[in-house]
Amino acid sequence: MSRIAVLFIVFLTLASSAYADWKEKVLYSFQGIPDGSLPGGGVVFDKAGNLYGVTAEGGSGLCAPAQCGIVYQLSPPEQKGGAWTETVLYVFKGQKYGDGSSPAGTLLIDSSGNLYGGTGYGGTGDCMLLGGTVGCGTVYELSPPKEKGGAWTERCFSALEVARTGNSRERL
């Protein structure tokens, strides 16, 4: 048998066994308001194994014509194979309240557990959507509570100013 044939057989054997080991498992199914919907971007892990992410919709109906979105945490089950637990860390309120809406992309996490992300709408800009002013987006930081069970704290760094009729979501 030629060397090439042997290498090909070894490659197929390794590739097929690696592929066969992958299995999908749904960790959590979103429900809309007051929960989230339309999760986007990736997720990040903290040191304890919790997952953090965003949903562009859900959480609050204050952002007409859509919902405002959330930042969530999924905590692993106490026993292997059990259910993951979702905690809504922050519900966006939208431009009317000087807040962002429709968070997009993957969060970043620092060594202190602060989360950083961006929103497609909200903030102080005058961007338009479907004839209404929705804001041009924000960059935000969420800080964990100082005491267990307390509320996370949001701080907006800046508004993302784009053309008055532009779609800021495409520019994040």
Side-chain angles (χ1 to χ4, degrees), residues 40-113:
V43 293
V44 294
F45 283 94
D46 67 10
K47 296 172 188 170
N50 297 305
L51 295 171
Y52 297 89
V54 298
T55 67
E57 298 275 331
S60 168
L62 298 174
C63 300
Q67 299 162 4
C68 299
I70 65 165
V71 177
Y72 65 87
Q73 174 191 54
L74 291 177
S75 301
E78 292 181 20
Q79 294 181 358
K80 186 173 179 157
W84 286 65
T85 304
E86 187 222 24
T87 303
V88 174
L89 301 180
Y90 189 77
V91 176
F92 290 93
K93 298 170 195 73
Q95 185 188 33
K96 182 178 176 183
Y97 297 93
D99 195 12
S101 66
S102 297
T106 302
L107 295 170
L108 299 174
I109 188 168
D110 68 16
S111 60
S112 298

Side-chain angles (χ1 to χ4, degrees), residues 134-151:
V134 295
C136 300
T138 63
V139 174
Y140 62 89
E141 172 190 59
L142 282 178
S143 299
K146 296 191 187 322
E147 297 177 14
K148 188 172 180 153

